[in-house]
């Protein structure tokens, strides 16, 4: 049984401040389900729903700067909107970031704790995604990693090449998951990862066994044994969490 991709998890020193930044950036609501966790969701959102990927900001003792293998791309509807959004984000505390992008039509920024994200120029493909256009994951083999995530989530493939695989929920709503070729995606732990949700009537042991058969491996990110989720890594070492299996 496929799992539902439900949220993007961002590690932070100050989860409330970074949660507030992302809530203001996206125009969403901010709440907290537990100490150390800030939940960023669209107003009136009935979680889980494929129309959006929520953002969970989780406090960790020292999320040192790392090479980011996953990041958010934000959508804009016009050149004017792009300019206005970048200015608003900078006013909220974002800063320009140079990750070697060169002369590109999008803007690379970092949130107040250094988490890199992009504000895209208007693109027709993202006209109905909501404020988050895509979650981008760097990898060495987009086709292989795209096949893994298709099997995990049941998402539909909308584009596939040696450089990019683009997936989206089968309902045709919400942001895309994009696997993008990068010559050196890095091997360190990263501050942004995906969370998938086990179905209520699923068999947790069977679901985890299926993920491992697809190439997932167990990951230790310091989560301990008393958390209600399981930490795994995809075949290229990108951490993700399976919620609702304990």
């Amino acid at each position: 049984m496929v799992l539902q991709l439900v949220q993007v998890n961002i590690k932070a020193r100050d989860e409330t401040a970074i949660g507030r930044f992302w809530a203001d950036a996206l125009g969403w609501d901010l709440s907290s389900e537990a100490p150390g966790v800030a939940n960023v969701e669209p107003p009136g959102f009935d979680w889980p729903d494929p129309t959006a990927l929520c953002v969970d900001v989780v406090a960790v003792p020292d999320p040192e700067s790392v090479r980011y293998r996953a990041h958010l791309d934000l959508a804009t509807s016009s050149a004017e909107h792009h300019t206005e959004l970048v200015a608003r984000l900078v006013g909220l505390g974002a800063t320009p970031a140079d990750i070697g992008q060169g002369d590109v039509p999008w803007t690379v920024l970092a949130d107040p704790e250094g988490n890199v994200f992009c504000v895209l120029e208007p693109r027709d493909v993202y006209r109905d995604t909501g404020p988050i256009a895509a979650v981008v994951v760097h990898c060495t083999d987009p086709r292989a990693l795209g096949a893994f995530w298709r099997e995990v989530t049941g998402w539909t493939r909308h584009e596939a090449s040696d450089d990019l695989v683009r997936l989206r929920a089968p309902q045709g709503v919400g942001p895309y998951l994009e696997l993008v070729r990068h010559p050196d995606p890095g091997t360190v732990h990263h501050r942004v990862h995906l969370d998938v949700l086990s179905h209520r009537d699923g068999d947790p042991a069977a679901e985890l066994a299926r993920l491992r058969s697809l190439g997932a491996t167990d990951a230790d990110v310091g989560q301990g044994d008393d958390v209600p989720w399981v930490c795994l890594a995809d075949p290229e070492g990108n951490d993700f969490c399976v919620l609702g299996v304990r």
Side-chain angles (χ1 to χ4, degrees), residues 5-16:
L5 183 53
V6 289
Q7 64 195 26
V8 179
N9 184 293
I10 299 176
K11 300 177 180 68
R13 296 180 181 86
D14 186 339
E15 80 286 356
T16 301

Side-chain angles (χ1 to χ4, degrees), residues 5-10 16-32 38-57 72-75 81 85 88-89 92 128-135 173-176:
L5 183 53
V6 289
Q7 64 195 26
V8 179
N9 184 293
I10 299 176
T16 301
I18 298 304
R20 172 51 60 195
F21 170 85
W22 282 106
D24 290 343
L26 301 172
W28 290 0
D29 291 337
L30 177 65
S31 61
S32 179
N39 308 111
V40 181
E41 299 178 349
F45 189 73
D46 186 15
W47 190 90
D49 187 311
T51 58
L53 290 182
C54 299
V55 175
D56 261 20
V57 183
L72 296 180
D73 279 353
L74 304 188
H81 182 208
L85 180 57
R88 186 167 67 83
L89 293 167
L92 292 172
D128 61 351
T129 60
I132 299 177
V135 182
V173 295
Y176 290 86

Side-chain angles (χ1 to χ4, degrees), residues 64-134:
E64 296 178 355
S65 296
V66 295
R67 298 179 66 178
Y68 299 93
R69 295 177 63 174
H71 69 264
L72 296 180
D73 279 353
L74 304 188
T76 61
S77 57
S78 66
E80 293 76 14
H81 182 208
H82 179 272
T83 300
E84 292 168 359
L85 180 57
V86 169
R88 186 167 67 83
L89 293 167
V90 170
L92 292 172
T95 54
D98 184 351
I99 55 174
Q101 68 269 21
D103 185 15
V104 294
W106 59 88
T107 302
V108 183
L109 299 174
D111 74 16
E113 284 202 14
N115 298 295
V116 173
F117 64 98
C118 297
V119 181
L120 302 180
E121 77 285 5
R123 301 185 194 181
D124 189 56
V125 67
Y126 303 128
R127 68 187 182 280
D128 61 351
T129 60
I132 299 177

Side-chain angles (χ1 to χ4, degrees), residues 2-7 47-48 195-200 207 241-245:
V2 296
L3 305 181
Q4 185 172 351
L5 183 53
V6 289
Q7 64 195 26
W47 190 90
D195 286 345
V196 295
L197 178 65
S198 172
H199 290 275
R200 185 174 300 176
E207 289 177 342
C241 291
V242 184
L243 311 179
V245 293

Side-chain angles (χ1 to χ4, degrees), residues 170-228:
Q171 297 89 342
V173 295
Y176 290 86
L177 175 62
E178 296 182 351
L179 297 312
V180 177
R181 180 181 294 277
H182 192 283
D184 181 17
T187 58
V188 296
H189 289 303
H190 22 88
R191 292 173 65 175
V192 179
H193 71 253
L194 299 172
D195 286 345
V196 295
L197 178 65
S198 172
H199 290 275
R200 185 174 300 176
D201 57 351
D203 179 342
E207 289 177 342
L208 292 173
R210 187 179 78 89
L211 294 174
R212 294 181 178 111
S213 74
L214 293 172
T217 55
D218 293 284
D220 184 354
V221 295
Q223 70 271 17
D225 297 325
D226 58 347
V227 294

